[in-house]
Amino acid sequence: MQHFATEAETIFYKKPQPFTKWESPDILSYALGATLYMPASMPTIVSLIQSQKYKELTSLVIDLEDAVGDIDLVDCEAKLIEDMSELYELYQQKQLLLEDLPLLFIRVRHVEQFRYLTTALGKKQEILTGYVFPKFTAAKGACYFEILEKTILENDLVLYGMPILESHEVLYKESRMEALLGIKEVLHQYRNRVLNVRIGATDFCGIYGIRRRMDSTIYDISVIRDCIADIVNILGREEDGFVISGPVWEYFSNQRVLKPALRETPFSEKGALDTRKALLDDCLDGLMKEVLMDKQNGIVGKTIIHPSHIRVVHALYAISFEEYLDALSIIENNDGRKGVMKSHHANKMNEIKPHMRWAQRIVKQAHVYGVYHESVDFASLLLNSDIGGSIYATTNE
């Protein structure tokens, strides 16, 4: 897979590099980008993947948890096994290349279902990149990763786990620290199997009967913002190195109340006010604002429920020319001779030690999302994009 694989040379100073599930997990954890969720009940999963209907889709989660009703669960399990078997057969017949597949995950409902699926699928799990573990706690998490480890060894597979933090224990203030520290211990025990830590803000909001508006962000809900801050504090430390992904954006139709947050200037300078209007009509300015807030808080990647969100998220993860030069300067001058220096654009101070981890993250993102030319920004990537889509893939993450 490759982000923006068809873009003109004029967009990127450094083009995005292709990646597969066999990429180093240190890079792969940054590459997921906009992760599209769809219910396991969707009848067109195989054809959608085989035809590469959404060219920019790089990571996909087939959901057996909240997106599937209890009554339909058994049928959906059988359908998922059938779908994975069909994809694996296409792969075996060389009608489908793993290099062309999006990073493919299954979100299971509980430990016993996970055990059943891994047994039923066996070697067919070769087409998967991994599994998503909902309502992750230390106790359940250890069981999930034990089964994952056993599956990998028995079938000689490359697979990863992505826990979702969305339980009462993590949200409630009196139990949060104990829960997060217990989760951290489990994740360290299986560190080489953890691709990404995800945040289930919809479940968190549901506990308090809250739902964010489309013209606000998850950070405007104080009880969720405080919980996210603690998750990043405990799991996002330099010595741990876990990549934390942002919660789902759940809107794709416009019933605006507040003033739009998307500035006119980046679009008017390129004669692209129609593109801005399309973004506003599809309420994607709220998504963009939340992605920028995610980035500012050290969060990389986003759960989405609509293909029109893919390019918007990825455009915001591509690195600016200025950021890239600053990051390279910090890394290249880490020789013990300098402690601080003026940035390339002479508009900020770059301190080598405090800014080193930031610089390393920027370089990893640049590898998979690319670096804009100096005069280019995210608006340039959205000018010719198809704002809007033709699929609704529900999720309750």
Side-chain angles (χ1 to χ4, degrees), residues 138 169 172-184:
E169 296 95 324
Y172 290 167
K173 199 174 186 69
E174 66 270 22
S175 58
R176 185 181 304 157
M177 283 301 107
E178 181 180 354
L180 286 175
L181 291 172
I183 287 169
K184 182 175 182 176

Side-chain angles (χ1 to χ4, degrees), residues 50-241:
Q50 184 183 13
S51 67
Q52 299 180 42
K53 181 175 181 179
Y54 304 113
K55 301 297 183 184
E56 298 188 335
L57 177 62
T58 53
S59 60
L60 172 66
V61 175
I62 301 172
D63 192 358
L64 277 169
E65 202 217 4
D66 290 339
V68 170
D70 295 344
I71 294 174
D72 298 326
L73 183 59
V74 173
D75 289 341
C76 285
E77 288 176 344
K79 179 185 176 298
L80 183 141
I81 292 170
E82 184 178 323
D83 286 347
M84 295 303 102
S85 299
E86 185 175 346
L87 287 171
Y88 183 73
E89 185 66 25
L90 290 169
Y91 161 62
Q92 289 290 90
Q93 296 172 357
K94 303 189 184 305
Q95 297 181 38
L96 187 66
L97 299 177
L98 291 192
E99 292 83 354
D100 295 334
L101 282 175
L103 303 175
L104 188 59
F105 300 86
I106 296 171
R107 178 161 82 162
V108 295
R109 183 172 289 211
H110 47 67
V111 170
E112 287 309 310
Q113 183 189 68
F114 181 43
R115 193 190 312 275
Y116 165 67
L117 289 175
T118 55
T119 302
L121 290 172
K123 188 66 176 175
K124 296 172 185 176
Q125 293 168 101
E126 189 173 354
I127 64 172
L128 298 176
T129 302
Y131 288 87
V132 180
F133 303 140
K135 299 177 177 61
F136 194 89
T137 62
K140 286 193 293 188
C143 295
Y144 277 127
F145 277 105
E146 285 173 10
I147 297 168
L148 182 66
E149 189 75 26
K150 181 173 180 286
T151 299
I152 290 168
L153 294 175
E154 287 181 351
N155 296 283
D156 190 25
L157 299 170
V158 174
L159 288 175
Y160 298 98
M162 296 199 296
I164 309 177
L165 307 190
E166 54 187 350
S167 67
H168 293 75
E169 296 95 324
V170 172
L171 182 58
Y172 290 167
K173 199 174 186 69
E174 66 270 22
S175 58
R176 185 181 304 157
M177 283 301 107
E178 181 180 354
L180 286 175
L181 291 172
I183 287 169
K184 182 175 182 176
E185 185 176 342
V186 170
L187 296 184
H188 270 292
Q189 184 179 351
Y190 296 95
R191 182 65 187 88
N192 61 332
R193 306 302 187 196
V194 182
L195 187 59
N196 202 285
V197 177
R198 310 190 75 83
I199 299 173
T202 301
D203 277 53
F204 280 157
C205 287
I207 291 169
Y208 283 95
I210 295 170
R211 187 171 191 177
R212 73 182 179 280
R213 295 191 56 86
M214 68 181 63
D215 40 21
S216 63
T217 75
I218 201 66
Y219 299 95
D220 294 314
I221 301 175
S222 58
V223 68
I224 312 301
R225 181 189 63 234
D226 291 349
C227 184
I228 292 174
D230 285 339
I231 290 170
V232 174
N233 189 316
I234 298 299
L235 299 177
R237 298 176 185 182
E238 181 177 10
E239 62 270 22
D240 299 317

Side-chain angles (χ1 to χ4, degrees), residues 4 262 284-285 287-292 295 310-320 323 365 369 372 378-379 381-382:
F4 313 117
L262 189 59
L284 293 176
D285 59 317
L287 167 62
M288 295 172 75
K289 182 180 178 183
E290 188 163 293
V291 170
L292 292 172
K295 290 172 60 179
I310 297 170
R311 171 164 284 226
V312 173
V313 173
H314 292 170
L316 292 172
Y317 278 116
I319 301 301
S320 73
E323 283 180 312
Q365 278 185 238
Y369 298 102
Y372 291 125
F378 71 91
L381 273 175
L382 299 179

Side-chain angles (χ1 to χ4, degrees), residues 30 38 62 72 189 253 272 364:
Y30 285 85
M38 61 179 59
I62 301 172
D72 298 326
Q189 184 179 351
S253 62
K364 289 175 185 176

